[in-house]
């Protein structure tokens, strides 16, 4: 699977994603999340549901202690305050030196210039994966998110890029996969993207091929979203149901629902 | 409707509220919320459920960037720390200069003297709407919340006052409406009042008559609460159900349940 | 019940816990929580569900105003930042002087040295109850959590110790009870331990025997967890259901399900 055929990915990626999710459950990786206040609780619950162990401290005094014990790391730029700035710099310096996989989620950087600048600086430090939407990609790179641009940005930054939206594109500069799972209710619950980024970090902790890990997380999250939407009565019960589904997500569901091309 | 007859409001206000909610869904206004940590997630989910786009950053460095792109603004004084103080001053200065509608929610000011002083200062700056309960009103104005006092305070401060409790009173100093919707379970879930204040901000973004916008939000929230309570098994499922109901709230429900006099 | 027979506690403690929960509902004690960002919302909702009144501000400028009006106090060391450090010192000084019961929850102190040191300092100040897991106990005391060690630590620190895990042990140095309630799903939802610590604080506000209050909270929470697990479809609906069950928890449920020895 290290060199998948781009157009025969469907059942193949579902199968691999099932393996990756099983490994997360078996190994219970520690994922440290430096994330925004709005997303912290939901993110922690998504990680716990899939079997990972979240920690969330943002204090500069202890961030390195936590990151040093973590198997992967997420930095999310939502509600970005002074303390998180300091903690981010310390944490990134540590994960780069140690080779810990890390995910950059440049939330809302299209809305704030200081946030854009910070995101660009972090992008230069070769995150394992960057997870963002089209507006954030445009703000980060100054370019529209066409396939060719995605491939080049991934290559130039030695990073997997996961562009999420109505459909998702995941590339490492060589391989690219399009995933058509998910449900419109996902856009009606806060912190969905943030939680997906944390799930990517959990998968990176158990799968060395970052492109495979990232695609597995995106596929699994989208499939879980579709299943949760089937019985949801609105975004409230959808969010609750998504946690339930992620907790029990299995190979049969991934094979039946996965839509990767 | 700009000069409604106080005692013939029932179906009239329900009808108008349905229009206001439809406009929120159609226009997806951006609502920036400077709110307390406890309320952020629920508030964001309430806004998303009705079709608005929440943002929640509290960082002084970027608050103005976010507020400048927002269609309305909420400042809530719960869990009020130093950073939020600075961000509030910057944001208020901006919204006043730009004429952006804004809501003041003076949470728990009856418990803390510095908070009371801050709330009084903000009240002097003519918020579009102030949403509070009786104890907060007494702390803010030094007076009991009788109708005559409410009318005068609203007139003096050029603000709509929404006093919420077992029944709610909304006045702009000239017009006053009493709304008798809601359910006791609303007092058993944290951040209900905070989320209502954010919903007021969302309605202010699409309705220039601030009294109409505020009354619509209060009525819609109360009706949604009653409907959610019908199937709730306790405050946990009630909070989830309220989000579901708000997402689908329609004219028929508002007309059937609205109790405005 | 002030001198219960250790091996005849089962129905006795269930009965007492029912009294304590009834008193919380009747008296609506104010519980101030200085807790981590991840836990704030769930903790507030647990307290509201049982009939207590939570407040959560962390601002050093106003913490004393809030604590002075509170009937009990919780300090939780998760996501511990600079502002919370300052607020903690001010709050503890106040509660000790006033004799307000307080709970220490040394979250994740096994992961961070500065946090361990702070927890040890707080432990020296004789909290009414310390609620922690085995890893946290080992970090706090440097010893494995055997019964004899628990008893001695409780005696030495004039504190009730509630060690929670697959089974729970609660001791004040003289009396000890083992509680075998709960469900594995409790470990799959963030802030469960934090919320339990807040529930201990609520019970301490209405019951002067700290060991009885603490055991009641632990028993009630565990019983509620078991009942919620019966109908949960995963950790999402479990967390929602737990709030529902706590809201209605009654003597019959406690007597039927309680397992204290």
């Amino acid at each position: 699977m290290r060199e998948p055929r781009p157009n025969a990915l469907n059942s193949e990626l579902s199968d691999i994603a099932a393996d990756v999710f099983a490994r997360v459950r078996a190994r219970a990786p520690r994922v440290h999340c430096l994330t925004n206040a709005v997303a912290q609780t939901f993110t922690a619950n998504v990680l716990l549901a899939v079997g990972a162990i979240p920690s969330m401290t943002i204090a500069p005094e202890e961030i390195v202690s936590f990151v040093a014990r973590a198997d992967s790391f997420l930095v999310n730029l939502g509600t970005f305050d002074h303390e998180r700035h300091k903690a981010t710099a310390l944490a990134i310096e540590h994960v780069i030196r140690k080779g810990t996989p890390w995910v950059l989620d440049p939330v809302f950087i299209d809305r704030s210039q200081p946030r854009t600048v910070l995101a660009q600086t972090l992008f230069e430090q070769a995150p394992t994966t960057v997870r963002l939407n089209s507006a954030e990609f445009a703000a980060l790179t100054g370019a529209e998110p066409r396939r060719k641009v995605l491939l080049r940005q991934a290559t130039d930054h030695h990073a997997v890029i996961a562009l999420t939206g109505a459909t998702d594109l995941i590339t490492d500069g060589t391989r690219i996969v399009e995933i058509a799972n998910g449900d419109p209710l996902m856009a009606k619950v806060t912190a969905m993207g943030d939680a997906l980024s944390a799930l990517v970090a959990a998968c990176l902790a158990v799968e060395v091929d970052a492109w495979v890990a990232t695609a597995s997380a995106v596929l699994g999250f989208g499939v879980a979203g579709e299943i949760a939407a089937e019985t949801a009565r609105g975004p409230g019960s959808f969010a609750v149901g998504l946690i339930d589904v992620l907790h029990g997500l299995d190979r049969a569901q991934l094979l039946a629902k996965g839509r990767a091309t």
Side-chain angles (χ1 to χ4, degrees), chain A:
Chain A
M1 181 61 200
R2 298 301 151 98
E3 290 184 350
R5 289 153 295 156
N7 292 314
L9 269 176
N10 208 344
S11 65
E12 207 173 351
L13 183 59
S14 288
D15 223 35
I16 291 167
D19 290 343
V20 172
F21 275 79
R23 259 179 273 151
V24 171
R25 261 174 220 140
R27 298 190 197 164
R30 291 178 172 190
V31 181
H32 191 78
C33 303
L34 191 43
T35 191
N36 68 78
V38 186
Q40 284 182 321
T41 307
F42 187 70
T43 298
N45 281 331
V46 161
L47 288 173
L48 286 165
V50 297
I53 310 291
S55 59
M56 313 297 263
T57 191
I58 60 163
E61 295 85 351
E62 55 182 17
I63 184 82
V64 172
S65 288
F66 276 80
V67 170
R69 288 165 173 81
D71 301 299
S72 60
F73 173 65
L74 163 69
V75 58
N76 167 308
L77 308 188
T79 59
F80 214 76
D81 51 53
H82 188 61
E83 190 150 43
R84 279 177 173 86
H85 267 266
K86 278 196 293 182
T88 298
L90 293 165
I92 296 293
E93 194 271 329
H94 184 87
V95 295
I96 288 173
R97 202 176 62 237
K98 287 282 290 287
T100 308
W102 63 290
V103 177
L104 171 63
D105 186 337
V107 175
F108 267 161
I109 58 167
D110 49 316
R111 300 269 192 101
S112 156
Q113 184 58 20
R115 216 181 265 212
T116 308
V117 171
L118 176 63
Q120 287 167 338
T121 306
L122 293 172
F123 194 27
E124 293 303 321
Q125 293 177 273
T128 318
T129 298
V130 186
R131 211 275 321 153
L132 36 49
N133 65 27
S134 292
E136 291 155 357
F137 184 89
L140 185 64
T141 66
E144 289 306 303
R146 301 175 192 285
R147 280 183 176 233
K148 204 156 72 176
V149 178
L150 282 177
L151 287 161
R152 200 185 58 234
Q153 288 285 339
T155 302
D156 289 355
H157 290 85
H158 306 285
V160 173
I161 296 178
L163 182 82
T164 57
T167 64
D168 311 311
L169 287 169
I170 297 100
T171 182
D172 63 355
T174 307
R175 298 167 292 178
I176 188 160
V177 60
E178 181 170 340
I179 295 176
N181 290 106
D183 187 274
L185 277 173
M186 293 180 118
K188 293 292 175 194
V189 179
T190 197
M192 274 288 157
D194 317 63
L196 170 54
S197 295
L199 187 58
V200 170
C203 292
L204 288 171
V206 301
E207 168 56 53
V208 291
D209 185 329
W211 181 78
V212 164
T214 304
S216 295
V218 172
L219 185 87
F221 202 67
V223 166
E226 285 182 29
I227 296 169
E230 288 167 9
T231 53
R233 290 171 302 280
S237 51
F238 173 72
V240 171
L242 179 68
I243 301 276
D244 285 349
V245 174
L246 281 170
H247 183 248
L249 192 67
D250 63 20
R251 192 175 306 268
Q253 291 171 314
L254 287 162
L255 285 168
K257 301 266 183 188
R259 285 199 301 280
T261 49

